């Protein structure tokens, strides 16, 4: 077949085509296979109230991004938080649909996302009530629907987040929810409590039969290592991950005092003596998601988290002091993006990824991707979906693909301006690097 050369006229369409036809490895989501249970009634009417696989219109509309938005329009003085949380998921979804989609123009990215999902599924987004959508979802079988969504979204591998201190999830792993292994999913051992709240983690570990004390000692360190190895094996996890607050520093600040300092000290000891050695031994990256200030408005629950500017030097120090470890890093604050990008130029063991959470908006994805292309070429992971509800793959990826495509097309245009010849095959190679191989290669490095 003749090679297609890039021209100023065809560049946009060649790029969008290449991105669309490159199956994606989604390297961070909160999605689960059907074997982890689903609260959405399937064709047989079966419901697992605490099931982890979220999908369908009610779950899509009650996404925490939309919960935050509905409370701006109908504030808690009118609809108290408690009243909202006592409503059924279907009632909450009706309230959100009525308030944000019928009575207002659904212009925010989270609202637009719901409409994109409906459109991708061939549903008319102009319905006044949710009945038609509910009928559609009630007819789906979760397993078939999962395949359909993955195909429509162009995603062929979903990376889970598997918080090991979450009792519901833990019990499912222990009960064999992942047997047989669902080849569409990969696990990630999420260990926040070990680094953020060691006394709590130690209490739980002690209950589960590990010889740990509230303060790290040699035995405790060995036991935490044993715990990590056991869970990595159980989950066949492809990396370990943690979300850290904006205040997180490495090494810990000498100015820290009181109980915060004790917790930070224990966290640092566990990081250096348990987590990083096990990562090294298994050749696994540690994923750091930095900048989330949790429960600033606790009554909003998951919707109540906030962003804060973090310390990029902490990442630099980590990469410098632990050259044999690999770090996958994303930061939540827009203000951190440039500095983090420059840091990535210094360290082969640092892979930056994604436009996380409050950054997952078209204007910011485009801005950040352009900057990363200019500073890092194609050596970064431009996006992950962070989907919590399966259906969200149907909007988060198409919306991101458009932004990444626009940024890339402009860069190719600039290159064409120098007289460089470029082909469709080169664009496809870049798409593969950005959407799959930078991540896979970093894992296997
Ligand atoms: O993006 C989100 O949905 C957040 O609530 C968090 O889960 C975040 O992505 C995380 O992984 O900590
Ligand atoms: Zn996440």
């Amino acid at each position: 077949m003749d090679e297609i050369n890039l021209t100023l006229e065809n560049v946009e369409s060649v790029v969008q085509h290449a991105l669309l036809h490159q199956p994606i490895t989604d390297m961070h989501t909160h999605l689960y296979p059907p074997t982890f249970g689903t609260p959405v009634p399937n064709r047989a009417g079966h419901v697992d109230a605490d099931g982890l696989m979220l999908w369908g219109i009610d779950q899509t509309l009650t996404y925490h991004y939309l919960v935050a938005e509905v409370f701006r329009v109908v504030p808690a003085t009118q609809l108290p938080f408690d009243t909202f949380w006592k409503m059924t998921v279907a009632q909450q979804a009706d309230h959100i649909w009525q308030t944000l989609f019928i009575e207002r123009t659904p212009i925010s990215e989270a609202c637009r996302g719901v409409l994109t999902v409906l459109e991708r599924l061939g549903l008319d987004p102009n319905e006044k009530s949710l009945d038609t959508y509910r009928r559609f979802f009630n007819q789906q079988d979760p397993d078939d629907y999962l395949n359909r969504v993955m195909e429509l979204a162009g995603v062929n591998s979903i990376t889970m987040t598997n918080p090991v201190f979450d009792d519901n999830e833990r019990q499912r792993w222990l009960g064999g929810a992942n047997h047989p292994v669902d080849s569409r999913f990969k696990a990630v051992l999420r260990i926040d409590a070990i680094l953020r709240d060691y006394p709590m983690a130690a209490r739980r570990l002690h209950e589960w039969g590990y010889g740990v004390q509230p303060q790290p000692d040699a035995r405790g360190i060995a036991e935490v290592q044993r715990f990590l190895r056991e869970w990595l094996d159980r989950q066949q996890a492809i990396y370990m991950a943690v979300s850290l607050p904006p205040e997180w520093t490495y090494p810990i600040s000498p100015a820290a005092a009181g109980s915060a300092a004790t917790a930070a000290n224990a966290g640092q000891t566990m990081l250096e003596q348990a987590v990083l050695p096990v990562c090294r031994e298994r050749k696994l990256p540690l994923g750091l998601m930095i900048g989330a200030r949790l429960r600033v408005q606790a009554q909003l629950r998951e919707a109540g988290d906030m962003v804060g500017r973090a310390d990029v030097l902490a990442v630099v120090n980590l990469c410098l002091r632990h050259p044999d470890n690999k770090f996958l890093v994303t930061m939540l604050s827009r203000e951190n993006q440039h500095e983090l990008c420059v840091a990535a130029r210094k360290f082969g063991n640092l892979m930056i990824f994604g436009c996380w959470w409050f950054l997952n908006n078209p204007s910011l994805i485009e801005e950040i991707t352009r900057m990363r292309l200019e500073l890092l070429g194609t050596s970064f992971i431009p996006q992950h979906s962070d989907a919590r509800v399966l259906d969200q793959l149907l909007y988060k990826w198409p919306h991101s693909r458009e932004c990444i495509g626009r940024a890339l097309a402009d860069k190719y245009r600039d290159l064409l301006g120098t007289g460089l010849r470029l082909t469709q095959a080169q664009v496809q190679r870049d798409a593969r690097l950005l959407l799959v191989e930078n991540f896979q290669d970093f894992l296997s490095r």
Side-chain angles (χ1 to χ4, degrees):
M1 213 172 67
D2 283 348
E3 262 202 339
I4 297 176
N5 287 313
L6 239 54
T7 64
L8 291 178
E9 288 68 45
N10 71 10
V11 61
E12 192 85 43
S13 65
V14 170
V15 170
Q16 291 298 351
H17 183 272
L19 292 176
L20 193 63
H21 289 88
Q22 174 55 58
I24 292 170
T25 297
D26 195 342
M27 55 80 66
H28 172 69
T29 77
H30 298 268
L31 301 178
Y32 293 85
T35 49
F36 282 75
T38 171
V40 181
N42 64 11
R43 277 196 295 231
H46 182 74
V47 173
D48 174 346
D50 300 318
L52 295 172
M53 178 194 174
L54 305 184
W55 59 285
I57 190 65
D58 292 325
Q59 300 291 341
T60 300
L61 281 168
T62 51
Y63 186 32
H64 66 83
Y65 294 24
L66 290 166
V67 170
E69 289 174 30
V70 81
F71 271 103
R72 290 197 52 70
V73 181
V74 182
T77 43
Q78 261 168 269
L79 177 69
F81 292 115
D82 278 354
T83 312
F84 178 81
W85 293 120
K86 278 190 198 126
M87 286 156 67
T88 63
V89 175
Q91 287 168 338
Q92 293 170 355
D94 283 333
H95 171 63
I96 290 174
W97 183 251
Q98 182 62 29
T99 308
L100 296 180
F101 293 77
I102 307 292
E103 290 169 13
R104 299 221 163 191
T105 310
I107 216 163
S108 74
E109 172 63 6
C111 284
R112 176 190 165 215
V114 177
L115 304 175
T116 305
V117 168
L118 295 173
E119 183 265 327
R120 298 283 148 144
L121 291 169
L123 298 165
D124 178 357
N126 296 293
E127 301 287 347
K128 295 285 171 263
S129 94
L130 300 176
D131 296 347
T132 315
Y133 309 139
R134 287 191 179 124
R135 267 198 301 280
F136 168 85
F137 286 104
N138 285 342
Q139 285 158 13
Q140 309 300 319
D141 167 75
D143 200 62
D144 297 340
Y145 184 64
L146 171 62
N147 284 333
R148 173 151 176 225
V149 168
M150 288 178 76
E151 194 179 326
L152 285 173
V155 171
N156 72 351
S157 178
I158 298 176
T159 313
M160 299 180 269
T161 298
N162 305 102
V164 70
F165 290 94
D166 178 285
D167 284 329
N168 179 11
E169 168 147 4
R170 186 184 136 77
Q171 288 311 329
R172 288 174 193 267
W173 282 100
L174 294 174
N178 210 38
H179 293 291
V181 173
D182 190 317
S183 60
R184 295 166 290 191
F185 289 81
K186 295 276 182 280
V188 167
L189 180 57
R190 179 87 175 234
I191 53 161
D192 292 22
I194 294 179
L195 301 186
R196 298 180 63 139
D197 187 359
Y198 186 68
M200 190 281 261
R203 215 169 35 247
R204 298 309 313 274
L205 289 169
H206 187 78
E207 280 165 27
W208 300 332
Y210 296 89
V212 295
Q213 301 299 319
Q215 285 308 313
D217 56 10
R219 169 134 195 265
I221 289 164
E223 284 290 90
V224 171
Q225 289 190 359
R226 178 165 75 89
F227 169 75
L228 295 173
R229 288 190 194 99
E230 285 173 9
W231 276 89
L232 287 171
D233 289 341
R234 179 170 290 119
Q235 296 181 341
Q236 294 294 300
I238 57 173
Y239 63 90
M240 279 196 234
V242 59
S243 152
L244 293 162
E247 297 76 21
W248 180 73
T249 58
Y250 181 80
I252 59 167
S253 153
S259 64
T262 317
N265 258 308
Q268 180 165 305
T269 304
M270 283 299 144
L271 174 67
E272 292 180 333
Q273 299 189 40
V275 175
L276 293 179
V278 173
C279 284
R280 276 200 298 277
E281 167 192 306
R282 299 287 177 104
K283 297 190 169 44
L284 299 179
L286 176 63
L288 302 169
M289 312 183 65
I290 312 172
R293 210 186 287 287
L294 304 182
R295 305 298 191 261
V296 172
Q297 171 51 287
Q299 307 214 69
L300 279 171
R301 301 190 181 172
E302 270 164 355
D305 299 348
M306 167 80 188
V307 52
R309 199 178 305 189
D311 178 15
V312 178
L313 213 52
V315 176
V316 169
N317 291 334
L318 203 58
C319 294
L320 205 55
R321 290 188 189 194
H322 305 280
D324 297 330
N325 278 97
K326 303 183 278 187
F327 301 96
L328 282 162
V329 178
T330 196
M331 284 184 150
L332 194 52
S333 155
R334 181 191 190 184
E335 288 68 27
N336 280 137
Q337 300 309 314
H338 182 246
E339 199 179 343
L340 180 63
C341 210
V342 174
R345 294 170 62 89
K346 318 297 160 199
F347 300 104
N349 61 341
L350 171 58
M351 177 59 79
I352 63 172
F353 73 92
C355 299
W356 179 26
W357 198 346
F358 307 113
L359 295 174
N360 193 347
N361 291 303
S363 60
L364 298 172
I365 299 168
E366 202 166 321
E367 164 189 301
I368 294 167
T369 305
R370 282 176 194 279
M371 180 189 64
R372 288 173 173 172
L373 287 169
E374 286 163 2
L375 280 164
L376 301 170
T378 54
S379 68
F380 64 97
I381 300 166
Q383 191 56 310
H384 62 273
S385 76
D386 232 317
R388 281 178 175 263
V389 182
L390 172 64
D391 316 55
Q392 291 166 344
L393 294 179
L394 294 172
Y395 89 83
K396 296 207 183 224
W397 279 112
H399 290 190
S400 286
R401 251 198 226 103
E402 271 175 35
C403 303
I404 297 166
R406 274 197 296 272
L408 263 180
D410 269 355
K411 294 296 134 197
Y412 293 131
R413 265 189 214 103
D414 292 344
L415 293 180
L416 290 173
T418 70
L420 185 75
R421 270 190 300 281
L422 290 166
T423 64
Q424 182 181 32
Q426 282 172 287
V427 176
Q428 288 165 339
R429 182 185 62 190
D430 291 343
R432 210 160 51 240
L433 284 172
L434 292 168
L435 300 179
V436 180
E437 288 180 358
N438 287 338
F439 175 57
Q440 303 286 7
D441 292 350
F442 195 69
L443 292 181
S444 55
R445 203 178 273 179

Coordinates of all heavy atoms in Angstrom, one line a residue, residues 19-24 116-123 136-137 140 144-156 158 390-399 401:
L19 N -5.6 8.4 16.0 CA -6.0 8.3 17.4 C -7.2 7.5 17.6 O -7.3 6.7 18.5 CB -6.2 9.7 18.0 CG -5.0 10.6 18.1 CD1 -5.4 12.0 18.6 CD2 -3.9 10.0 19.0
L20 N -8.2 7.6 16.7 CA -9.4 6.9 16.8 C -9.2 5.4 16.6 O -9.9 4.5 17.3 CB -10.4 7.4 15.7 CG -11.9 7.0 15.9 CD1 -12.4 7.5 17.2 CD2 -12.7 7.5 14.7
H21 N -8.3 5.0 15.8 CA -8.1 3.6 15.5 C -7.0 2.9 16.3 O -6.7 1.8 16.1 CB -7.8 3.4 14.0 CG -9.1 3.6 13.2 ND1 -9.4 4.9 12.8 CD2 -10.1 2.8 12.9 CE1 -10.6 4.8 12.2 NE2 -11.0 3.6 12.2
Q22 N -6.4 3.7 17.2 CA -5.4 3.1 18.1 C -6.1 2.6 19.4 O -6.6 3.4 20.2 CB -4.3 4.1 18.5 CG -3.3 3.6 19.5 CD -2.7 2.3 19.1 OE1 -2.0 2.2 18.1 NE2 -2.8 1.3 19.9
P23 N -6.3 1.3 19.6 CA -6.9 0.8 20.9 C -6.1 1.3 22.1 O -4.9 1.3 22.1 CB -6.9 -0.7 20.7 CG -6.7 -1.0 19.3 CD -5.9 0.2 18.8
I24 N -6.8 1.8 23.1 CA -6.2 2.5 24.2 C -6.0 1.6 25.4 O -6.9 0.7 25.7 CB -7.1 3.7 24.6 CG1 -7.1 4.7 23.5 CG2 -6.7 4.3 26.0 CD1 -8.2 5.8 23.7
T116 N -22.8 13.2 25.7 CA -22.0 12.4 24.7 C -22.3 10.9 24.9 O -22.4 10.2 23.9 CB -20.5 12.7 24.9 OG1 -20.3 14.1 24.8 CG2 -19.6 12.0 23.9
V117 N -22.3 10.5 26.2 CA -22.6 9.0 26.4 C -23.9 8.6 25.8 O -24.0 7.6 25.1 CB -22.7 8.8 28.0 CG1 -23.2 7.4 28.2 CG2 -21.3 9.0 28.6
L118 N -25.0 9.4 26.0 CA -26.3 9.0 25.4 C -26.2 9.0 23.9 O -26.7 8.0 23.2 CB -27.3 10.0 25.8 CG -27.6 10.1 27.3 CD1 -28.6 11.2 27.7 CD2 -28.2 8.7 27.8
E119 N -25.5 10.0 23.3 CA -25.4 10.0 21.9 C -24.6 8.8 21.3 O -25.0 8.2 20.3 CB -24.7 11.4 21.5 CG -24.6 11.6 20.0 CD -23.2 11.2 19.5 OE1 -22.2 11.3 20.2 OE2 -23.1 10.8 18.3
R120 N -23.5 8.4 22.0 CA -22.7 7.3 21.6 C -23.5 6.0 21.6 O -23.3 5.0 20.9 CB -21.5 7.1 22.4 CG -20.5 8.3 22.3 CD -19.7 8.3 21.1 NE -19.4 9.6 20.7 CZ -18.3 10.0 20.1 NH1 -17.4 9.2 19.8 NH2 -18.1 11.3 19.7
L121 N -24.5 6.0 22.5 CA -25.3 4.7 22.7 C -26.5 4.8 21.8 O -27.4 3.9 21.8 CB -25.8 4.6 24.1 CG -24.7 4.3 25.1 CD1 -25.2 4.4 26.6 CD2 -24.1 2.9 24.9
G122 N -26.6 5.8 21.0 CA -27.8 5.9 20.0 C -29.0 6.4 20.7 O -30.1 6.2 20.2
L123 N -28.9 7.0 21.9 CA -30.1 7.5 22.6 C -30.3 9.0 22.4 O -29.3 9.7 22.3 CB -30.0 7.2 24.1 CG -29.9 5.7 24.5 CD1 -29.4 5.5 25.9 CD2 -31.2 5.0 24.3
F136 N -33.6 1.3 28.5 CA -32.5 0.8 27.7 C -31.5 0.0 28.5 O -31.0 -1.1 28.2 CB -31.8 2.0 27.0 CG -30.5 1.7 26.4 CD1 -30.4 1.1 25.1 CD2 -29.3 1.9 27.1 CE1 -29.2 0.8 24.5 CE2 -28.0 1.6 26.5 CZ -28.0 1.0 25.2
F137 N -31.1 0.6 29.7 CA -30.1 0.0 30.5 C -30.6 -1.3 31.1 O -29.8 -2.2 31.3 CB -29.5 1.0 31.5 CG -28.6 2.0 30.9 CD1 -29.1 3.3 30.7 CD2 -27.3 1.7 30.5 CE1 -28.2 4.3 30.1 CE2 -26.5 2.6 29.9 CZ -26.9 3.9 29.7
Q140 N -29.8 -4.4 29.3 CA -28.4 -4.8 29.0 C -27.9 -5.9 30.0 O -28.3 -5.9 31.2 CB -27.4 -3.6 29.1 CG -27.9 -2.4 28.4 CD -28.0 -2.6 26.9 OE1 -27.1 -3.3 26.3 NE2 -29.0 -2.1 26.3
D144 N -21.9 -8.1 28.5 CA -22.0 -7.8 27.0 C -21.8 -6.2 26.9 O -21.2 -5.7 26.0 CB -23.3 -8.2 26.4 CG -23.5 -9.7 26.5 OD1 -22.5 -10.4 26.6 OD2 -24.7 -10.1 26.4
Y145 N -22.5 -5.5 27.9 CA -22.4 -4.1 27.8 C -21.0 -3.6 28.0 O -20.6 -2.6 27.3 CB -23.4 -3.5 28.9 CG -23.5 -2.0 28.8 CD1 -24.0 -1.4 27.7 CD2 -23.0 -1.2 29.9 CE1 -24.1 0.0 27.6 CE2 -23.1 0.2 29.8 CZ -23.7 0.8 28.7 OH -23.7 2.1 28.6
L146 N -20.3 -4.2 28.8 CA -18.9 -3.8 29.0 C -18.1 -4.0 27.7 O -17.4 -3.1 27.3 CB -18.3 -4.8 30.1 CG -16.8 -4.7 30.3 CD1 -16.3 -3.3 30.8 CD2 -16.4 -5.7 31.4
N147 N -18.3 -5.1 27.0 CA -17.6 -5.3 25.7 C -18.0 -4.2 24.8 O -17.2 -3.6 24.0 CB -18.0 -6.6 25.1 CG -17.2 -7.7 25.8 OD1 -16.1 -7.5 26.4 ND2 -17.8 -8.9 25.8
R148 N -19.3 -3.9 24.8 CA -19.8 -2.9 23.8 C -19.2 -1.5 24.1 O -18.8 -0.8 23.2 CB -21.3 -2.9 23.9 CG -22.0 -1.8 23.1 CD -23.3 -2.1 22.6 NE -23.9 -1.0 21.9 CZ -25.2 -0.6 22.0 NH1 -26.0 -1.2 22.9 NH2 -25.6 0.4 21.4
V149 N -19.2 -1.1 25.4 CA -18.6 0.2 25.7 C -17.2 0.2 25.4 O -16.7 1.2 24.8 CB -18.9 0.5 27.2 CG1 -18.1 1.7 27.7 CG2 -20.3 0.7 27.5
M150 N -16.4 -0.8 25.7 CA -15.0 -0.8 25.4 C -14.8 -0.6 23.9 O -13.9 0.1 23.4 CB -14.3 -2.1 25.9 CG -14.2 -2.1 27.4 SD -13.5 -3.6 28.1 CE -11.7 -3.3 27.7
E151 N -15.6 -1.3 23.1 CA -15.4 -1.2 21.7 C -15.8 0.2 21.2 O -15.0 0.8 20.4 CB -16.3 -2.3 21.0 CG -15.9 -2.5 19.5 CD -16.8 -3.5 18.9 OE1 -17.2 -4.5 19.5 OE2 -17.1 -3.3 17.7
L152 N -16.9 0.7 21.6 CA -17.3 2.0 21.2 C -16.3 3.1 21.6 O -16.1 4.1 20.9 CB -18.7 2.4 21.8 CG -19.9 1.7 21.1 CD1 -21.1 2.1 22.0 CD2 -20.1 2.2 19.7
A153 N -15.7 2.9 22.8 CA -14.7 3.9 23.3 C -13.3 3.7 22.7 O -12.5 4.6 22.9 CB -14.7 3.8 24.9
G154 N -13.1 2.6 22.1 CA -11.8 2.3 21.6 C -10.8 2.0 22.7 O -9.6 2.3 22.6
V155 N -11.2 1.4 23.8 CA -10.4 1.0 24.9 C -10.2 -0.5 24.9 O -11.3 -1.2 24.9 CB -11.0 1.5 26.2 CG1 -10.2 1.0 27.4 CG2 -11.0 3.1 26.3
N156 N -9.0 -1.0 25.0 CA -9.0 -2.5 25.0 C -8.3 -3.0 26.3 O -8.2 -4.2 26.5 CB -8.3 -3.1 23.8 CG -6.9 -2.9 23.7 OD1 -6.3 -2.1 24.5 ND2 -6.2 -3.5 22.7
I158 N -8.3 -2.0 30.6 CA -8.8 -1.1 31.7 C -8.0 -1.4 32.9 O -7.9 -2.5 33.4 CB -10.3 -1.3 32.0 CG1 -11.1 -1.0 30.8 CG2 -10.7 -0.4 33.2 CD1 -12.6 -1.2 31.0
L390 N -18.7 2.9 34.1 CA -18.2 2.4 32.9 C -18.6 3.3 31.7 O -17.7 3.6 30.8 CB -18.9 1.0 32.7 CG -18.7 0.3 31.3 CD1 -17.2 0.0 31.1 CD2 -19.5 -0.9 31.2
D391 N -19.8 3.8 31.7 CA -20.3 4.6 30.5 C -19.4 5.8 30.3 O -19.4 6.3 29.2 CB -21.7 5.0 30.8 CG -22.6 3.9 31.4 OD1 -22.2 3.3 32.4 OD2 -23.6 3.6 30.8
Q392 N -18.7 6.3 31.3 CA -17.9 7.5 31.1 C -16.8 7.3 30.2 O -16.3 8.3 29.6 CB -17.4 7.9 32.5 CG -18.5 8.4 33.4 CD -18.0 8.6 34.8 OE1 -17.0 8.0 35.2 NE2 -18.8 9.3 35.6
L393 N -16.4 6.0 29.9 CA -15.4 5.8 28.9 C -15.9 6.4 27.5 O -15.1 6.8 26.7 CB -15.1 4.3 28.7 CG -14.4 3.6 29.9 CD1 -14.3 2.1 29.5 CD2 -13.1 4.2 30.2
L394 N -17.2 6.4 27.4 CA -17.8 6.8 26.1 C -17.7 8.3 25.9 O -18.0 8.8 24.8 CB -19.2 6.4 26.0 CG -19.5 4.9 25.9 CD1 -21.0 4.6 26.1 CD2 -18.9 4.4 24.6
Y395 N -17.4 9.1 27.0 CA -17.2 10.5 26.7 C -15.7 11.0 27.1 O -15.2 11.8 26.3 CB -18.2 11.4 27.5 CG -17.9 11.8 28.9 CD1 -17.1 12.9 29.2 CD2 -18.5 11.1 30.0 CE1 -16.9 13.4 30.5 CE2 -18.2 11.6 31.3 CZ -17.5 12.7 31.6 OH -17.2 13.1 32.8
K396 N -15.2 10.4 28.1 CA -13.9 10.9 28.5 C -12.8 10.7 27.4 O -12.0 11.6 27.1 CB -13.4 10.3 29.8 CG -14.4 10.6 31.0 CD -13.8 10.6 32.3 CE -14.8 10.9 33.4 NZ -14.3 11.8 34.4
W397 N -12.9 9.5 26.8 CA -11.9 9.3 25.7 C -12.1 10.1 24.5 O -11.2 10.7 24.0 CB -11.7 7.8 25.5 CG -10.7 7.2 26.5 CD1 -11.0 6.4 27.5 CD2 -9.3 7.6 26.7 NE1 -9.9 6.1 28.3 CE2 -8.9 6.8 27.8 CE3 -8.5 8.4 26.0 CZ2 -7.5 6.9 28.3 CZ3 -7.1 8.5 26.5 CH2 -6.7 7.8 27.6
P398 N -13.4 10.1 24.0 CA -13.6 10.9 22.7 C -13.3 12.4 23.0 O -12.6 13.0 22.1 CB -15.1 10.8 22.5 CG -15.4 9.4 23.0 CD -14.5 9.2 24.2
H399 N -13.6 12.9 24.2 CA -13.3 14.3 24.4 C -11.8 14.6 24.5 O -11.3 15.5 23.9 CB -14.0 14.8 25.7 CG -15.5 14.9 25.6 ND1 -16.3 15.5 26.6 CD2 -16.4 14.4 24.7 CE1 -17.5 15.4 26.3 NE2 -17.6 14.8 25.1
R401 N -9.5 12.6 23.2 CA -8.8 12.4 21.9 C -8.9 13.6 21.0 O -7.9 13.9 20.3 CB -9.6 11.2 21.2 CG -8.9 9.9 21.1 CD -9.6 9.1 20.0 NE -9.7 7.7 20.5 CZ -10.9 7.2 21.0 NH1 -12.0 8.0 20.9 NH2 -10.9 6.0 21.4

